[in-house]
Amino acid sequence: MSLSRRVLLRASQSAWLRERAPRHRFFRRAAARFLPGENAEDALAAAGRLVENGVGAILTRLGESIATRAEAEAVVQHYFGLVDRLRSNGSACEISVKLTQLGADVDRELCRAHLSELASRMPDGKMLWIDMEQAAYADVTFDLFRRVREAHSNVGVCVQAYLYRTEFDVAKLVDEGAAVRLVKGAYNEPSEIAFPRKKDVDENFFRLAQTLLGLDAQRAGIRAAIGTHDLRLIARITEWAAAQGIARERLEFQMLYGIQRAEQIRLARAGYRSGVLINYGSYWFPWFMRRLAERPANVFFLARNLFSR
Ligand code: FDA
């Protein structure tokens, strides 16, 4: 992992920076590229613009590592309100949550109850996605995902290609016919548990995508969402899928708001399922640092914002 990536990922965990940086206008302006705004209204408006272009939306309110029951309750109440709005305006959006937002660090049973209640309230046919956080949360995430899924089949889980364990997790999820979002992984993980070289992560991503789209997965009825902005990987996966005779509408790509916008629309127009995860909220600093860490050029972009006014 490069030094700049390590530094930015460290910064994402700094409570001192999290407290102060968002007050600075230049950080706010730079983050605006990835965030339509701080309120659900901003996210819903952005979702509406995507839908006009045939691109679906998944909404997620920023926030993680919540430390009290009251905060977790407030987050889940926010999501209940959001679901009510989706229902009342007939919006086709899905939702994605982080378990530490719903109280995983406070009380696992409380977190399970929140997840379960939220899944039960989702509009028909709409998925409640669970993000994958640091590797230390992987077991609890799969455990809560499986327990909630016993009663609510509309929960899906994210897996990270940078972890060695993911090959085994994906095999199990395929057997279970689960809904799975495959991503590379955004945290700072040691080489004991994660591929240190990007090349190996990319290769593992391709192999996992093949498993998630392959015959066994199709037979098990899994929903596989390929979460990447990597155009080379997307081309490799679509070419492989075409050679296997997999219909385009069976391939679903998900990206983050503000990244590879043209590709999001191109995929939708070409007949693939294309979705965008829209983050909104005021707790955006750690998340924004992870986005910078993904691409060194983003730091220059930030610097340009700093000096342009
Ligand atoms: P890669 O980092 O190789 O980037 C490929 C290309 O995409 C770059 O060359 C650049 O052109 C563009 N790009 C990528 N990131 C960019 C950025 N920040 N700014 C500008 N351009 C950028 N992670 C996690 O650990 N847990 C999770 O739950 C999720 N959830 C999730 C959902 C969805 C829908 C997506 C798309 C991603 C996530 N992630 C995530 C983040 C994921 O792990 C990963 O960090 C990012 O997607 C970046 O990796 P890429 O696959 O895009 O490839």
Side-chain angles (χ1 to χ4, degrees), residues 211-277:
T211 307
L212 287 167
L213 295 167
L215 265 184
D216 288 346
Q218 285 176 43
R219 286 199 194 102
I222 96 157
R223 174 173 168 192
I226 309 297
T228 185
H229 316 95
D230 187 332
L231 301 187
R232 278 178 47 202
L233 255 178
I234 292 172
R236 206 173 158 200
I237 292 167
T238 52
E239 279 160 24
W240 172 82
Q244 302 297 309
I246 300 172
R248 287 188 174 191
E249 63 270 18
R250 281 214 60 249
L251 261 75
E252 175 174 358
F253 292 95
Q254 292 184 358
M255 300 192 193
L256 299 176
Y257 178 85
I259 306 180
Q260 304 286 25
R261 289 175 201 234
E263 181 69 0
Q264 296 160 8
I265 297 171
R266 186 195 72 77
L267 286 166
R269 292 199 177 140
Y272 298 101
R273 293 177 69 180
S274 174
V276 167
L277 184 67

Side-chain angles (χ1 to χ4, degrees), residues 26-42:
F26 84 90
F27 270 114
R28 302 176 78 91
R29 285 178 58 210
R33 174 187 165 184
F34 302 108
L35 295 171
E38 295 200 348
N39 304 313
E41 289 71 35
D42 303 318

Side-chain angles (χ1 to χ4, degrees), residues 12-305:
S12 77
Q13 292 167 331
S14 158
W16 189 87
L17 276 174
R18 189 175 66 227
E19 174 73 13
R20 287 159 185 81
R23 293 188 209 139
H24 290 273
R25 202 158 66 98
F26 84 90
F27 270 114
R28 302 176 78 91
R29 285 178 58 210
R33 174 187 165 184
F34 302 108
L35 295 171
E38 295 200 348
N39 304 313
E41 289 71 35
D42 303 318
L44 286 165
R49 291 191 293 275
L50 287 166
V51 169
E52 283 168 15
N53 284 300
V55 178
I58 306 128
L59 306 181
T60 189
R61 185 179 184 229
L62 289 165
E64 51 201 83
S65 309
I66 266 172
T68 68
R69 238 183 147 80
E71 283 176 294
E73 297 286 357
V75 171
V76 85
Q77 288 302 331
H78 171 88
Y79 279 123
F80 291 164
L82 180 65
V83 170
D84 289 346
R85 293 182 65 173
L86 296 182
R87 280 182 174 286
S88 63
N89 67 14
S91 165
C93 297
E94 299 192 321
I95 289 183
S96 199
V97 290
K98 289 196 187 337
L99 292 188
T100 60
Q101 238 188 342
L102 300 186
D105 287 333
V106 183
D107 175 347
R108 297 273 153 93
E109 278 313 302
L110 176 80
C111 179
R112 189 201 51 75
H114 283 159
L115 195 61
S116 184
E117 177 70 24
L118 193 49
S120 74
R121 292 181 184 222
M122 288 295 289
D124 288 345
K126 293 296 159 211
M127 194 63 70
L128 175 63
W129 292 99
I130 307 173
D131 286 359
M132 187 57 78
E133 301 178 64
Q134 291 92 330
Y137 291 102
D139 285 333
V140 65
T141 303
F142 288 122
D143 177 48
L144 293 184
F145 159 72
R146 290 196 168 97
R147 285 169 62 200
V148 170
R149 190 165 179 264
E150 282 171 15
H152 308 289
S153 58
N154 63 332
V155 281
V157 70
C158 182
V159 295
Q160 298 156 323
Y162 64 11
L163 296 183
Y164 304 136
R165 63 173 283 167
T166 299
E167 180 189 347
F168 306 101
D169 292 324
V170 161
K172 199 157 174 229
L173 291 163
V174 165
D175 280 348
E176 294 164 337
V180 181
R181 177 204 293 145
L182 173 64
V183 303
K184 289 189 185 175
Y187 299 87
N188 195 2
E189 302 293 2
S191 58
E192 288 76 33
I193 59 167
F195 294 101
R197 293 192 313 176
K198 186 176 182 314
K199 198 168 137 264
D200 296 327
V201 178
D202 290 356
E203 204 48 44
N204 199 37
F205 192 106
F206 181 63
R207 276 196 302 270
L208 293 167
Q210 288 177 306
T211 307
L212 287 167
L213 295 167
L215 265 184
D216 288 346
Q218 285 176 43
R219 286 199 194 102
I222 96 157
R223 174 173 168 192
I226 309 297
T228 185
H229 316 95
D230 187 332
L231 301 187
R232 278 178 47 202
L233 255 178
I234 292 172
R236 206 173 158 200
I237 292 167
T238 52
E239 279 160 24
W240 172 82
Q244 302 297 309
I246 300 172
R248 287 188 174 191
E249 63 270 18
R250 281 214 60 249
L251 261 75
E252 175 174 358
F253 292 95
Q254 292 184 358
M255 300 192 193
L256 299 176
Y257 178 85
I259 306 180
Q260 304 286 25
R261 289 175 201 234
E263 181 69 0
Q264 296 160 8
I265 297 171
R266 186 195 72 77
L267 286 166
R269 292 199 177 140
Y272 298 101
R273 293 177 69 180
S274 174
V276 167
L277 184 67
I278 303 175
N279 287 269
Y280 65 94
S282 51
Y283 188 92
W284 46 262
F285 184 75
W287 180 87
F288 177 53
M289 284 293 112
R290 290 200 294 276
R291 300 291 79 80
L292 291 185
E294 279 158 6
R295 191 166 172 251
N298 284 343
V299 179
F300 296 108
F301 169 78
L302 178 68
R304 211 178 56 212
N305 263 300

